[in-house]
Amino acid sequence: MGLLEGKRAFIFGVANDKSIAWAIAQAFHQEGAKLAFSYSGESVAKRVIPLAESLGAELLIPCDVRNDAEIAQAFTVVKESWGGLDILIHSIAFAPKDELKGSFVNTTREGFATALDISAYSLIALAREAAPLMTGSDGSIITLTYYGGQKVFPNYNVMGVAKAALEMSVRYLAAAMGPDGIRVNAISAGPIKTLAAAGVGGFNQIAGHVAEKAPLRRNICQDEVAGAAVYLASPLARGVTGEVHFVDSGYNVIGL
Ligand code: NAD
């Protein structure tokens, strides 16, 4: 029997087969979870629909997380189809490309608002809608973050600020939702080549540095993040909430 047998998981953030959320979906499927996917935009839909179908996903729901009505509608569909929810995956981030290069001093008001809205506030908005559906004894909400929310990395800029807000939101949500048996955690992944990562200037330089300096002397892959997500979503982690769990070849422990 799988670690997530019969659990109902709603996954936000699959854009293509390189997405971290896709690796998480595959691992959840292997462990016996039922899957619902959300996607944003028609071009993403073309890639996500065949992927979702290949895992026998029960639900495939459009949702732009900037839109409260679409979020409410997405969770209404889940409620009507499944009657409840056990796991929510938030694997979403966005900042305008110009904000992810050059000096942080040039961060625009609009770019800041967009990055924080899509990459951080959306976790709160999704968690609020998920809460009434998570009536079992162990609900699990997992988001994806990056070390650039704790330390300064070249070009990560406003996304670092958004990740800092996201990580603090994890702690506040964990405190707010814990009494209802809902756990909220983040996985801080090392650099992985995905669509989102391609938008960050100098990504290859960061990945090369990690491979050279991290204790494991290599970068991580999507599957390794998925393994941590299975753990955090499963009863094995039933005592764990409010954590930022690093899956980064140990890079974050190195000083010099
Ligand atoms: P990805 O591009 O595959 O995933 C990003 C997802 O965000 C996409 O599915 C995209 O459709 C979605 N998204 C963007 N704006 C949206 C909106 N308005 N509404 C709904 N969805 C929206 O890239 P990824 O690397 O798999 O990113 C997933 C998460 O992992 C992000 O939070 C990212 O910051 C985080 N992360 C990535 C890395 C890395 O190096 N790739 C490292 C650490 C953390």
Side-chain angles (χ1 to χ4, degrees), residues 79-143:
K79 186 180 178 191
E80 284 170 358
S81 310
W82 283 351
L85 185 66
D86 302 293
I87 303 165
L88 172 67
I89 298 296
H90 173 276
S91 188
I92 290 174
F94 178 81
K97 219 171 171 170
D98 284 350
E99 305 287 349
L100 300 174
K101 60 184 182 200
S103 172
F104 178 69
V105 174
N106 296 327
T107 301
T108 65
R109 189 183 294 274
E110 203 187 341
F112 187 96
T114 299
L116 272 282
D117 182 19
I118 297 179
S119 315
Y121 178 74
S122 63
L123 175 68
I124 303 166
L126 297 187
R128 186 166 52 243
E129 294 293 333
L133 303 188
M134 290 186 158
T135 51
S137 58
D138 186 28
S140 177
I141 297 176
I142 301 169
T143 186

Side-chain angles (χ1 to χ4, degrees), residues 13 15 19-20 40 64-65 91-93 144-145 163 189 191-192 194-196:
S19 296
I20 293 172
S40 167
D64 183 328
V65 296
S91 188
I92 290 174
L144 270 299
T145 186
K163 290 304 192 191
I192 303 175
T194 61
L195 212 57

Side-chain angles (χ1 to χ4, degrees), residues 176-197:
M177 303 178 89
D180 297 321
I182 300 170
R183 300 182 292 105
V184 187
N185 293 289
I187 297 173
S188 186
I192 303 175
K193 259 195 182 159
T194 61
L195 212 57

Side-chain angles (χ1 to χ4, degrees), residues 43-83:
S43 60
V44 174
K46 269 188 241 152
R47 293 188 297 262
V48 177
I49 290 168
L51 291 174
E53 284 174 355
S54 74
L55 293 187
E58 297 191 4
L59 303 169
L60 188 56
I61 307 166
C63 179
D64 183 328
V65 296
R66 287 171 296 187
N67 185 321
D68 285 332
E70 285 188 25
I71 293 175
Q73 174 59 21
F75 283 89
T76 299
V77 172
V78 169
K79 186 180 178 191
E80 284 170 358
S81 310
W82 283 351

